[in-house]
Amino acid sequence: WTGFGTLRIWFANSCPSGHITADIRLQPSSSAQILASLGLLISAIRYRQCRRDNYKIIKRGIKIMKTDIQNKNITQSEKELFELFINTHKKYIIKYKEINIEYYYSGKGENTILILPHISSLFSQEMAFHLIIDLENNNKVLAPELCNVNNIDEIADIMNYILEKENITNVIIYGQSGSGITAQVFFNRYYNKVKGMILVNTIAPRNNTKNNSSLLKMIKLFPSFLLKYILIKKFSKYSKNISIPEECIPRINFSKLLLEKCFLERFSKKKLLKELEYILQFNNEIILSSKELPNWNGSILIITSEDDAGYEDSKILASLLPNADIFVFETGYGHLAPAIKSVEFYLKINEFLKTL
């Protein structure tokens, strides 16, 4: 799915006659046509008794993908570093309105950096272990998990609740990719507690809720196993057509392994639909500018890549957010620039932190 255009659903070798490929042309005002077309497609698949075969094929594909990732070059040192992180970092649990909130809190220094959770619970904070380790030498680092709540207001309120419990009144917030969404959500509501914000390869609110609502209705028709397969394939594409230096391969591949583990353990259609609703709510947010925050004295650093999907959004954020600077990696690294160009990445972050 790439917006309004063609939605292609492909079932390889799932029927005796070979395969089914369905192209559905979508128009901006054709939500009823979308649902009707998908209904016809699903009916056709059921009629040809392919559903069970599709399930087996997709399940087998996930298994093959899992084996492939496990066999890639992942050094023992990368595994040991992750195990050391897990063994030396306590996960705290507190209650908020009968909800268990889990978070890491470690490090030392005057600054406290709040690493916001990804907008999708598929991404655990353990996946940020490199970031936490690199930042905690000179800063306190707080990294909460995403909770199952009703709306993005509650996500921000929970983050604030943790700050209050830990007696933190002034914080630097960090959001990368999907956690850049939650960072902006928190900033919009609690900017008075924020003295700095770092946004990396993320997106801006898009104010196209009507179109996204149609997409949400469409996704509800897809079976869970198919959604899971599509998402795994989507995230596996981030490293394609990127020249990864040999010394970075173990780290990239271990991150893929952690991501796959999260998919296998955490994925559910119910969660996915709820988190898509969060994104729809986020699209109704405004970007707070100097006009709305004339007395805010903090600073913002935006890091992106010329070939990242969020590049244009990052430029919009940099032009509107107050006291914002932007740093752009050259083409060739895409969404993986922070991992591949890690030395330059952390140098830029540390320079920014010294100014606060």
Side-chain angles (χ1 to χ4, degrees):
W1 170 260
T2 56
F4 291 104
T6 300
L7 172 66
R8 170 160 288 191
I9 304 175
W10 182 58
F11 296 98
N13 300 319
S14 58
C15 295
S17 59
H19 64 270
I20 298 173
T21 302
D23 286 346
I24 304 171
R25 298 302 301 178
L26 305 178
Q27 301 299 326
S29 60
S30 63
S31 59
Q33 293 175 7
I34 293 171
L35 298 178
S37 299
L38 282 171
L40 288 171
L41 175 63
I42 291 169
S43 297
I45 292 168
R46 286 176 176 170
Y47 177 76
R48 299 186 69 164
Q49 298 180 342
C50 295
R51 190 175 182 183
R52 185 175 298 174
D53 291 337
N54 290 334
Y55 177 79
K56 290 178 181 178
I57 288 164
I58 292 169
K59 193 173 181 181
R60 185 165 67 248
I62 292 171
K63 185 177 181 181
I64 291 169
M65 195 179 299
K66 179 180 180 181
T67 305
D68 181 53
I69 290 175
Q70 288 177 334
N71 288 338
K72 287 181 181 177
N73 179 22
I74 299 173
T75 62
Q76 187 64 27
S77 60
E78 191 72 17
K79 294 178 184 176
E80 289 174 353
L81 181 62
F82 179 71
E83 290 172 0
L84 180 65
F85 170 81
I86 295 298
N87 292 332
T88 57
H89 289 71
K90 180 180 177 181
K91 200 170 221 183
Y92 297 88
I93 301 176
I94 58 174
K95 276 195 176 293
Y96 173 84
K97 297 180 180 179
E98 304 305 316
I99 300 172
N100 282 336
I101 310 167
E102 299 180 352
Y103 62 95
Y104 290 105
Y105 190 27
S106 61
K108 57 186 179 181
E110 294 183 7
N111 289 328
T112 299
I113 300 175
L114 171 62
I115 301 176
L116 276 298
H118 197 285
I119 196 66
S120 169
S121 59
L122 285 172
F123 299 82
S124 70
Q125 289 291 38
E126 281 84 3
M127 292 192 66
F129 77 98
H130 270 289
L131 178 67
I132 295 171
I133 290 171
D134 286 326
L135 292 177
E136 68 183 359
N137 288 330
N138 299 305
N139 309 276
K140 295 174 184 174
V141 180
L142 181 63
E145 295 283 0
L146 185 72
C147 299
N148 183 22
V149 293
N150 295 317
N151 52 61
I152 58 175
D153 290 326
E154 289 187 19
I155 294 175
D157 290 344
I158 286 173
M159 299 302 113
N160 182 58
Y161 181 74
I162 298 171
L163 294 181
E164 290 178 346
K165 283 292 182 181
E166 295 291 351
N167 297 314
I168 301 169
T169 57
N170 215 346
V171 71
I172 301 162
I173 60 176
Y174 177 98
Q176 181 173 343
S177 189
S179 68
I181 294 174
T182 46
Q184 292 174 71
V185 167
F186 181 83
F187 180 75
N188 281 4
R189 290 153 181 77
Y190 295 102
Y191 57 83
N192 58 316
K193 293 189 174 183
V194 177
K195 69 174 183 177
M197 177 164 66
I198 302 169
L199 297 175
V200 182
N201 284 348
T202 193
I203 61 173
R206 297 182 180 178
N207 297 314
N208 57 349
T209 306
K210 183 177 179 181
N211 294 345
N212 285 331
S213 296
S214 299
L215 177 60
L216 187 62
K217 291 176 183 177
M218 180 185 67
I219 288 175
K220 288 180 180 178
L221 298 174
F222 280 76
S224 181
F225 70 86
L226 182 55
L227 287 172
K228 186 175 184 179
Y229 177 73
I230 290 170
L231 287 171
I232 288 176
K233 291 290 286 184
K234 175 180 172 60
F235 288 113
S236 69
K237 290 180 180 178
Y238 279 132
S239 59
K240 286 188 176 181
N241 303 318
I242 293 178
S243 180
I244 302 175
E246 188 174 345
E247 65 272 17
C248 297
I249 291 175
R251 176 173 174 174
I252 299 295
N253 286 335
F254 192 71
S255 295
K256 288 181 182 179
L257 187 62
L258 289 179
L259 178 57
E260 187 195 66
K261 182 174 180 288
C262 287
F263 264 97
L264 294 174
E265 293 178 354
R266 292 169 169 245
F267 179 84
S268 76
K269 184 176 177 179
K270 184 178 179 181
K271 278 186 181 179
L272 176 63
L273 292 170
K274 172 60 71 176
E275 289 152 9
L276 286 173
E277 287 178 7
Y278 296 159
I279 296 174
L280 295 185
Q281 294 164 20
F282 169 70
N283 279 337
N284 287 325
E285 297 277 291
I286 63 168
I287 301 173
L288 293 180
S289 65
S290 300
K291 188 176 180 180
E292 287 82 26
L293 302 177
N295 298 318
W296 188 70
N297 296 318
S299 299
I300 296 171
L301 172 64
I302 297 170
I303 299 177
T304 187
S305 309
E306 289 179 344
D307 52 349
D308 182 70
Y311 175 59
E312 293 299 327
D313 281 29
S314 292
K315 290 197 295 182
I316 292 170
L317 290 168
S319 67
L320 293 176
L321 286 168
N323 310 326
D325 288 324
I326 186 169
F327 175 79
V328 182
F329 285 106
E330 64 272 25
T331 299
Y333 308 106
H335 213 61
L336 299 181
I340 296 174
K341 305 282 287 184
S342 60
V343 173
E344 195 173 352
F345 176 69
Y346 285 109
L347 180 63
K348 198 66 188 175
I349 287 178
N350 288 325
E351 286 176 356
F352 172 73
L353 293 175
K354 288 176 183 177
T355 66
L356 299 176

